[in-house]
Amino acid sequence: MAIVEVIKYNGGKDVFAWKYPSEELGTWTQIIVNESQEAVLYKGGQALDIFAAGRHTLSTNNIPFLQRIVNLPFGGRSPFAAEVWYINKLHSLDIKWGTPTPIQLQDPKYNVFVPLRSFGQFGIQIGDSKQFLTKFVGTMPSFDKDNVIKFFRGLYLTKVKDAISSYLIKKGVSVLEINAYLGELSEHLKEGIMPTLDEYGIKLLNFYVNDINVPEDDPAVKTLKDALARRAEMDIVGYSYVQERSFDTLESAAANPGSAQSGLMGAGIGLGMGLGVGGTMGGAMGGVAQNINIAEIKKCLACNADMNAAVRFCPACGNDTQKAVPVSASAGNTTVCSECGTDYSRKYKFCPQCSNPYNPCVSCGADMKKGVPACPSCGKAVPKPCPKCGIPIENEKTKFCTECGESLIKKCNDCGAQIDGNPKFCPQCGSKREA
């Protein structure tokens, strides 16, 4: 029987636990343990002792358990069978993970089902060597990064899917905007996965979500991106979907002289139905038709808005077109930055001096600071945005958003009573309202 006299680590660099191949040891055997490692001696399925970095000789003096389980017929030098496990305790920070198949989730903002893929990396360290070997490694000869990914795939996939779904619903953001919350998602996932790994003697050092993306060839993703691109184009040009449909209808009627009369009549019937079904839609369609039928349109010299040539006062800013234009308005299409005071063109979206975003007043075009209740130049109140789609609501008495139909009626979160104005406490139940 060949007795091993010197035992040292011969495993790979990505191995967390490695078992020395021979089990024939003796009370004179030396165990060499490198830095950032620990060696665990097993006999009969029982962990006898843990050896730190250095050179250790097996003897009954430094391992009292050997005296009880090893017969010593040779004057204190006796062979015996035992296992030696090496545990690497280095910080392993490059364990990569990913979702093998897309996760089907419903976009809370646009109500379409889209597939998501996510990937990232995490770092671990073996914290408790005995616990790690007993609960996790078992009878395997070694345990490396591939084993970690294999055994914990179900854990992190479940946590990732749950975390992404929660953020989409609670934050109310689109799947196309979820990458803005990668830092919060990473910290949330680390807190959720850490307790499970602790049970196996593993410390989770970090958990990063590097990217969340959607397949470009998916039909739902293509449709959503095309719709958003078209919406952005409408915002840039300055018309809505309802106006575009009206333009298309009238353009088709003009292109076919034989049916022009029937086409215009059909457009009139459509406008009448809009007025009957909903005042908001009918008013918008009627305004489009009225603007098209006007022969002469002029520009307001103060705010550059389109207006009827026969109208004296501008409906956008109230400027008297028959009087001289104020100096501030006649200075051209320029504004003053609300942060640094730089004078720049209103065509810019950001201040060229301090990069502050241009937040124009809807009345006079002056740059305003975020959160101000009224324009400091003209005094016009700043419209409050719709809580769902963000479209500005200029009329405070409006009960429903004209863009998405969201209810704008304030209600108490506790009793559901309707609240007028902006009181600090509910007049029905007295509960304090959120700011």
Side-chain angles (χ1 to χ4, degrees):
M1 179 176 65
I3 305 300
V4 180
E5 295 187 357
V6 178
I7 296 176
K8 62 180 181 179
Y9 179 79
N10 289 322
K13 62 178 182 178
D14 293 332
V15 176
F16 294 105
W18 179 78
K19 177 183 175 183
Y20 190 79
S22 177
E23 299 181 3
E24 303 298 333
L25 310 180
T27 53
W28 57 87
T29 300
Q30 292 186 345
I31 299 177
I32 300 175
V33 184
N34 299 325
E35 291 289 344
S36 72
Q37 287 184 341
E38 284 184 350
V40 183
L41 180 66
Y42 271 83
K43 180 170 177 59
Q46 181 183 4
L48 300 183
D49 204 354
I50 297 179
F51 301 97
R55 181 185 291 268
H56 307 273
T57 301
L58 298 182
S59 66
T60 57
N61 294 329
N62 54 23
I63 307 177
F65 292 102
L66 290 178
Q67 193 170 8
R68 299 200 305 264
I69 63 177
V70 177
N71 295 324
L72 304 176
F74 305 108
R77 296 171 58 84
S78 173
F80 62 93
E83 300 176 1
V84 176
W85 281 88
Y86 280 90
I87 306 297
N88 281 320
K89 308 197 74 175
L90 285 172
H91 290 195
S92 182
L93 305 176
D94 59 344
I95 303 178
K96 294 178 173 57
W97 64 269
T99 52
T101 57
I103 305 172
Q104 293 291 335
L105 294 176
Q106 185 178 16
D107 191 302
K109 192 171 182 178
Y110 303 108
N111 297 323
V112 295
F113 284 91
V114 293
L116 293 181
R117 287 193 177 97
S118 181
F119 60 87
Q121 65 183 45
F122 61 93
I124 64 173
Q125 181 193 21
I126 308 302
D128 191 323
S129 300
K130 284 186 178 180
Q131 190 174 1
F132 176 70
L133 290 173
T134 304
K135 286 192 172 185
F136 205 65
V137 178
T139 58
M140 293 188 299
S142 65
F143 190 88
D144 55 14
K145 291 182 180 179
D146 293 336
N147 297 118
V148 173
I149 298 174
K150 175 182 177 181
F151 280 95
F152 290 109
R153 178 179 288 114
L155 172 65
Y156 66 71
L157 286 182
T158 302
K159 295 293 185 180
V160 166
K161 182 177 181 180
D162 179 68
I164 295 177
S165 302
S166 300
Y167 266 77
L168 288 175
I169 296 174
K170 293 180 181 179
K171 299 288 186 179
V173 298
S174 170
V175 294
L176 303 179
E177 304 169 353
I178 190 64
N179 278 315
Y181 299 89
L182 292 184
E184 297 180 19
L185 277 171
S186 299
E187 191 64 26
H188 179 73
L189 285 169
K190 178 184 176 182
E191 295 176 358
I193 298 175
M194 185 181 298
T196 303
L197 295 184
D198 287 341
E199 296 179 4
Y200 296 95
I202 302 175
K203 290 182 179 179
L204 182 62
L205 303 177
N206 52 56
F207 192 95
Y208 295 120
V209 181
N210 296 133
D211 189 23
I212 299 175
N213 53 54
V214 293
E216 297 293 336
D217 56 349
D218 184 80
V221 177
K222 286 184 177 180
T223 303
L224 179 58
K225 289 189 174 183
D226 290 343
L228 291 176
R230 191 172 182 182
R231 179 179 177 180
E233 179 183 357
M234 292 180 182
D235 292 339
I236 295 173
V237 176
Y239 62 91
S240 65
Y241 178 77
V242 175
Q243 291 174 326
E244 183 189 28
R245 296 300 299 165
S246 301
F247 296 151
D248 293 341
T249 301
L250 295 175
E251 184 178 357
S252 299
N256 189 1
S259 61
Q261 185 176 358
S262 61
L264 290 174
M265 185 178 295
I269 294 174
L271 292 176
M273 292 179 63
L275 289 170
V277 174
T280 303
M281 184 64 71
M285 294 293 291
V288 172
Q290 182 181 3
N291 290 335
I292 295 174
N293 292 329
I294 292 176
E296 296 182 3
I297 297 177
K298 65 180 180 180
K299 294 281 188 178
C300 174
L301 298 179
C303 66
N304 202 33
D306 292 335
M307 57 182 296
N308 191 338
V311 176
R312 176 177 176 180
F313 295 94
C314 175
C317 66
N319 177 52
D320 188 351
T321 59
Q322 297 182 6
K323 294 183 180 180
V325 182
V327 177
S328 59
S330 62
N333 295 325
T334 61
T335 186
V336 177
C337 178
S338 59
E339 288 293 333
C340 66
T342 301
D343 189 16
Y344 63 94
S345 174
R346 295 181 183 177
K347 295 181 180 180
Y348 296 165
K349 295 183 178 180
F350 299 88
C351 174
Q353 186 66 26
C354 65
S355 73
N356 180 50
Y358 178 34
N359 182 29
C361 172
V362 296
S363 177
C364 65
D367 184 28
M368 302 182 300
K369 291 186 177 181
K370 292 290 185 180
V372 296
C375 175
S377 297
C378 65
K380 184 175 178 62
V382 178
K384 294 184 178 180
C386 172
K388 183 176 181 181
C389 66
I391 296 299
I393 307 298
E394 296 187 4
N395 190 352
E396 296 182 354
K397 297 183 179 180
T398 302
K399 295 184 178 180
F400 297 91
C401 177
T402 57
E403 183 72 17
C404 65
E406 177 73 6
S407 176
L408 304 176
I409 301 175
K410 299 178 182 178
K411 293 184 179 181
C412 176
N413 294 331
D414 294 332
C415 66
Q418 181 174 340
I419 299 176
D420 296 327
N422 192 25
K424 294 184 179 180
F425 299 90
C426 175
Q428 185 69 22
C429 65
S431 62
K432 187 175 182 180
R433 299 180 62 244
E434 296 182 358

